[in-house]
Amino acid sequence: MIPTYLVVTKIGLYNSIWALILPTMVNVFNIILIMNFFKALPKELEEAAFIDGAGHWKVYLRVMMPLSLPVMATVGLFTVVGEWNEWLSGQIYMKPENVPLSTFLKAAISMPNIDIKNAEEAAKFNALSLNSAQIFIGALPILLIYPFLQKFFAKGIVIGAVKE
């Protein structure tokens, strides 16, 4: 964590959206998942496309990419959920006024900010119900995305897991 922080600050990404995106772009688990998926595909598909006159790019775009929808949806879901729930990076790399939603929710739930100005208003709400509403709002985008990707999810996880 310390070397990543030093690199982010030295190249001037502190307090920018790129400080949250660039350090997490390459996930080794996702690369291994994609690699095993492509290794499990039959070589005959690629050979048949070459025999039909397709080049490397056409084989990739017309044969491999349509077949890789399950693994791409799975990796996409893992990435979206992982980044959506990531609160520590926002706390480390961003100023308090620019934090992402998950960091804001973590701060709001762990230390409610009650002062003289909002004490009466805060007394009207039950703290538990307010925290529950914040968590639900934070989880809502993932709850909306998951049903669309669920059909690909199981295929993307299982494929490439069994070796012959």
Side-chain angles (χ1 to χ4, degrees), residues 120-138:
E120 278 183 43
E121 197 173 315
K124 294 178 186 175
F125 297 107
N126 181 357
L128 184 60
S129 63
L130 185 62
N131 290 347
S132 300
Q134 290 172 337
I135 291 170
F136 179 76
I137 290 169

Side-chain angles (χ1 to χ4, degrees), residues 39-59:
K39 280 184 179 178
L41 289 177
K43 296 290 179 205
E44 291 81 13
L45 291 171
E46 188 177 353
E47 292 170 359
F50 282 131
I51 289 172
D52 288 341
H56 289 287
W57 283 105
K58 191 169 263 192
V59 169

Side-chain angles (χ1 to χ4, degrees), residues 104-148:
F104 174 75
L105 289 177
K106 167 75 168 72
I109 290 169
S110 63
M111 289 189 309
N113 199 3
I114 299 174
D115 56 8
I116 224 46
K117 297 175 190 170
N118 64 357
E120 278 183 43
E121 197 173 315
K124 294 178 186 175
F125 297 107
N126 181 357
L128 184 60
S129 63
L130 185 62
N131 290 347
S132 300
Q134 290 172 337
I135 291 170
F136 179 76
I137 290 169
L140 189 61
I142 301 301
L143 291 173
L144 294 175
I145 291 171
Y146 186 76
F148 296 109

